[in-house]
Amino acid sequence: MGSLTVLLQLTLLVSFAILIFQANGQGLKVGFYPYKWPNLEPVIKDVIYKVISEDRTLAPPLQRMHFHDCFIRGCEGSFLLESPTKQAEKDAFPNLTLRGFQILDKVKLAVEKACSGDVSSADIMGPFWEVETGRKDGKVSILNEALTGLIPPSANISTLKKGFADRGLNMKDLVVLSGSHTIGISHCSSFSNRLYNFTGKNDADPTLDSEYAAKLKQKCKPGDQNSIVEMDPGSFKTFDVSYFTLVAKRRGLFESDAALLNDGETKAYLKFQALNKGPTFFKDFGESMVKMGRIGVITGEGGEIRKVCTKVN
Ligand code: HEM
């Protein structure tokens, strides 16, 4: 039930977004392909439903991929490119924990079969929220840009706000998109500094709820890089507002989650989502996801439609 719930909820969210964004001035459009390729959306959805019903943990990584793609060089699929010398975005430390590439391979294969040469890799990343399509694929992918440009989980509130503002996103986008951490998993390595030796005195992060810290310590022993935990314990397969409730109780997993309480505006919006228990979350999330999906898109000559997502043509 879990991941299918996620899918249904994301589908709902797209419907909201379709109502809100009919088209925009960048050449991205809702319904860019359907006129020529009416079967495209069902083809993509079929593949994704099939993959996710076989492995229900694979819904969240698509959202994370879209975020990592859009924040570096814009939403143009550059994080998918592979480099023989391991110098592409994909090889940068924050991208090493991305997973679910096999879904995109399967989608690309099906899309090429259905509408050969016409649909970019940047566009196939998420039909459930990515209702505006028409992006071209970029041709450049640089490890160092991802290393320095992706926001680390240790980020404080000023780094978070600046990182989002630099890409045209505001504090509401920051909080609501962080709500994506209501689903999915994290490796211990992404937050274990908060459990052990936070300030060099064998201490835990004092802003982390101590009961939650004790539970995390049972799962992540000192030095453990590889074990994984649910980011939203008990509800990590359900796309809901429990992330906001947890962060408000000082149970956000990353410093970047906890940091949302350190600014009047972000804290107020977070508490609004937590207390209101959701009526605006899907709509707000859909709007912010569409906004994020417009960052640095290429719609003209500067891009291409890759034949294979991992290589420039
Ligand atoms: C605000 C700054 C953000 C930071 C610092 C951050 C950081 C992280 C980290 C460290 C992980 C765990 C990686 C691992 O150890 O496996 C993670 C997971 C995840 N993030 Fe974020 N994230 C941020 C924003 C976002 C946004 C904007 C989205 C999507 C809109 C997103 C979606 C996800 C998802 C779905 C997962 C779970 C992935 C999985 O299950 O494999 N994150 N994030």
Side-chain angles (χ1 to χ4, degrees):
M1 179 71 187
S3 292
L4 292 177
T5 313
V6 171
L7 289 178
L8 283 174
Q9 287 166 336
L10 290 173
T11 310
L12 250 181
L13 174 169
V14 165
S15 316
F16 271 126
I18 287 173
L19 287 175
I20 295 161
F21 297 96
Q22 288 304 319
N24 69 60
Q26 292 175 306
L28 281 189
K29 248 180 156 176
V30 176
F32 180 81
Y33 297 111
Y35 183 71
K36 188 167 175 197
W37 302 112
N39 283 336
L40 178 65
E41 205 174 303
V43 164
I44 297 182
K45 280 188 181 165
D46 273 3
V47 177
I48 294 188
Y49 271 107
K50 191 162 178 293
V51 174
I52 289 175
S53 54
E54 280 162 14
D55 180 350
R56 294 174 172 210
T57 69
L58 286 177
L62 288 175
Q63 282 187 20
R64 187 167 182 235
M65 281 188 199
H66 193 45
F67 167 51
H68 282 215
D69 182 28
C70 293
F71 264 52
I72 307 300
R73 291 189 164 259
C75 314
E76 36 67 277
S78 55
F79 85 103
L80 288 166
L81 288 172
E82 284 176 359
S83 142
T85 52
K86 303 274 175 227
Q87 290 301 311
E89 283 173 38
K90 202 174 191 171
D91 306 302
F93 178 72
N95 281 336
L96 299 180
T97 46
L98 286 179
R99 60 195 184 97
F101 290 97
Q102 70 273 35
I103 310 179
L104 297 186
D105 292 343
K106 286 188 180 164
V107 172
K108 181 69 174 169
L109 214 67
V111 161
E112 280 298 303
K113 215 166 140 193
C115 25
S116 174
D118 228 12
V119 180
S120 68
S121 299
D123 266 351
I124 64 170
M125 227 163 298
F128 297 101
W129 66 85
E130 201 179 21
V131 288
E132 289 184 332
T133 41
R135 298 172 183 82
K136 292 266 180 77
D137 293 322
K139 299 177 191 171
V140 178
S141 180
I142 300 170
L143 181 150
N144 207 39
E145 287 182 355
L147 199 57
T148 53
L150 289 169
I151 302 172
S154 58
N156 63 22
I157 189 67
S158 354
T159 307
L160 288 164
K161 283 175 91 168
K162 183 172 185 321
F164 274 63
D166 286 351
R167 286 141 177 117
L169 301 175
N170 61 26
M171 75 82 210
K172 183 178 164 191
D173 301 316
L174 164 62
V175 184
V176 82
L177 290 176
S178 296
S180 193
H181 291 170
T182 181
I183 49 172
I185 50 112
S186 168
H187 292 79
C188 294
S189 54
S190 294
F191 59 86
S192 56
N193 68 313
R194 300 187 79 194
L195 307 179
Y196 306 104
N197 225 11
F198 187 65
T199 64
K201 295 178 192 157
N202 289 330
D203 53 345
D205 181 346
T207 68
L208 184 64
D209 173 76
S210 54
E211 236 175 72
Y212 184 42
K215 283 199 179 128
L216 290 171
K217 280 182 178 174
Q218 284 170 8
K219 300 211 166 125
C220 303
K221 299 292 175 204
D224 178 356
Q225 305 286 309
N226 298 322
S227 299
I228 52 170
V229 302
E230 301 170 4
M231 290 206 294
D232 180 356
S235 145
F236 79 111
K237 289 182 181 170
T238 314
F239 199 77
D240 57 17
V241 290
S242 55
Y243 166 82
F244 301 108
T245 323
L246 289 175
V247 175
K249 288 197 233 161
R250 302 196 299 123
R251 290 176 168 228
L253 190 56
F254 307 130
E255 287 169 82
S256 62
D257 299 318
L260 300 176
L261 295 172
N262 295 342
D263 169 275
E265 268 186 298
T266 53
K267 183 177 176 178
Y269 183 71
L270 188 136
K271 293 232 160 154
F272 163 76
Q273 288 296 358
L275 292 174
N276 225 22
K277 302 235 178 287
T280 70
F281 176 50
F282 294 149
K283 176 177 156 292
D284 291 354
F285 187 83
E287 286 173 11
S288 292
M289 213 56 182
V290 170
K291 227 171 129 185
M292 184 174 86
R294 290 176 182 165
I295 301 173
V297 291
I298 310 172
T299 52
E301 291 303 307
E304 62 180 10
I305 307 277
R306 268 179 231 147
K307 289 191 178 67
V308 180
C309 289
T310 51
K311 290 190 193 116
V312 292
N313 292 340

